[in-house]
Amino acid sequence: MTVTAAMFYLFAVLTVGSAVLVVTTRNVVYAAFSLMLTLCSVACLYVMLHADFLAATQVIIYVGGILVLVLFGVMMTSGKLDMKLRMERGRLIPGSLVGLILLALLIRIIYQSPWQVQDTNMLESTTKSTTQSIGESILGQYLLPFEIVSVILLVALIGAVLISRKEVKEIEES
Amino acid sequence: MELLSSLIFMLVIAAALLGFVMLLALILVLAERKVSAYMQDRVGPRRVGPFGSLQTIADAIKLLLKEDIISLQADRKLFILAPYLVFVSSFAVFAAIPFGRNLIASDINIGILYIMAISSVVVLGIIMAGWASNSKWALLGAMRSAAQMVSYEIPLALSILSVIMLVGSLRMQDIVGAQSGGLFSAQNRWILLDNPFTFLAFFIYFISALSEVNRTPFDLPEAESELVAGFHTEYSGMRFALFFLAEYANMFAVSAIAVTLFLGGWSGILPGYTFLNGVPGFVIKVSVLVFVIMWLRWTLPRLRVDQLMSVCWKYLIPIAFFNLIGVGVWILIFD
């Protein structure tokens, strides 16, 4: 077994295993930290796909940003600091139905995509950069979608600030 | 066979770096104690070894032999995991720091981005430690730390971005190469002196980095007078030592990144002279910055938490944005 294959299996097992833990654990904080492992392993898989820029941004945005906010929310909101999750039986059937549909869709996409399989050494890949091509396509070919996404994110940001400020005012009045 | 040989190769490099970080922490802890002593008109440690030089080793042995206490109410798994997470993510930064022409563990093409990504994981370790301790001091410290590190990451990233714009590469050795001219030459000067905006960017970087490593005047997460010791209040023995080690490793790492980005990295101060070239020059420059960090710690008082946030959001971030545009305009006009 080559190094690349060994590492792929390691990260694949880590990704799937921690993702299962995220869903099955009853402790919200455990779920959040398992999610950290999932996101980091996915970043490692990106590295193995030679998508180094994507891997680093994955860690910066999801682990360093969103996950910290999730943990912050969990700690601020639950009074006992260890809110337990309970699954409601009634939602089992619709939930699994949606899951199965998504799985079918994903399998369909996986089998229909033309995968370019290339045998390259992982250690050599670090000399080529994807940053430049990503930058050029974002500010060239995909400029309009990029700008639209930016505006949408800005609107969401302002909206979030507006909502949180409103709540503070209500508390002050009462 | 291939698997085994590459694994051994990686382990040897990692072990060498780990040894370096350990030695570094030993020296820096002693330096911190000596610096603080002279600033307060004391003499500092002097009993153990000549001029107290073996004091940290004695302390490390003491910490190793101490009882490992895990409080009953703590979340055992996360409590044990947290110090490793903090230490590993601080340690992993060293893989992309260029110490010399060939002295870099991995010169990856997204070097600086990798450093930012890995160091953002430290926050999670701190939150984990604070939550798992199940103590109000630890939790409050962790909360403050997370809020602070997430906020100050923005001006930090913006100041680094201005350097990236100028150099046009994320690779650490390219950034060093762009400053090969040293201090005074017309071409390839230190990025600090390249234009007024990068001069400002260095200070934005340094202030934000101080906050990222939780040093005074931004050491609210471990404010002794109000939070006992912050997020590591409940830790003892070797687990505490890991946090301590990570703190000093971080201090060196941010200084080393500052030197690499703005002060020429390992390239010499004057072009053509081998004086202060390579590793010794790099170590000296980093040591000066580390000394400044220690100097600030023993000089400045701690900020209040609202002051901390207003410094970041009302001053540093707008200045950093203005600065970024300034660098862009400068590149457009003069380069």
Side-chain angles (χ1 to χ4, degrees), chain A residues 1-3 6-7 27 29-30 33 36 40 52-53 55-57 59-60 63-64 67-69 71-72 75-76 81-82 121 123 125-131, chain B residues 2-3 6 10 75-78 85 106-110 113-114 116-118 120-121 123-125 127-128 131 134 139 142-144 146-147 150 153 170-171:
Chain A
M1 195 157 56
T2 60
V3 187
M7 286 173 100
N27 188 324
V29 179
Y30 279 15
F33 283 120
M36 175 187 81
C40 288
D52 44 7
F53 184 80
T57 23
V59 175
I60 290 178
V63 179
L67 204 56
V68 171
L69 285 180
L71 277 166
F72 229 73
M75 287 179 187
M76 289 286 201
L81 299 175
D82 52 349
N121 188 351
L123 296 170
S125 72
T126 50
T127 51
K128 279 188 295 177
S129 177
T130 54
T131 317
Chain B
E2 187 211 347
L3 178 68
S6 0
M10 288 178 202
D75 187 313
R76 214 183 147 82
K77 284 177 218 154
L78 293 185
L85 189 62
S106 176
D107 189 19
I108 42 179
N109 53 24
I110 50 155
L113 203 66
Y114 160 83
M116 290 187 62
I118 288 293
S120 69
V121 180
V123 190
L124 280 173
I127 296 179
M128 194 189 266
W131 185 82
N134 204 357
L139 188 68
M143 288 285 201
R144 280 186 184 185
V150 169
E153 220 163 49
L170 296 167
R171 187 193 297 271

Side-chain angles (χ1 to χ4, degrees), chain B residues 33-44 298:
Chain B
R33 295 182 68 170
K34 279 288 184 190
V35 167
S36 72
Y38 286 114
M39 297 226 167
Q40 298 172 339
D41 208 11
R42 296 183 282 117
V43 278
W298 299 100

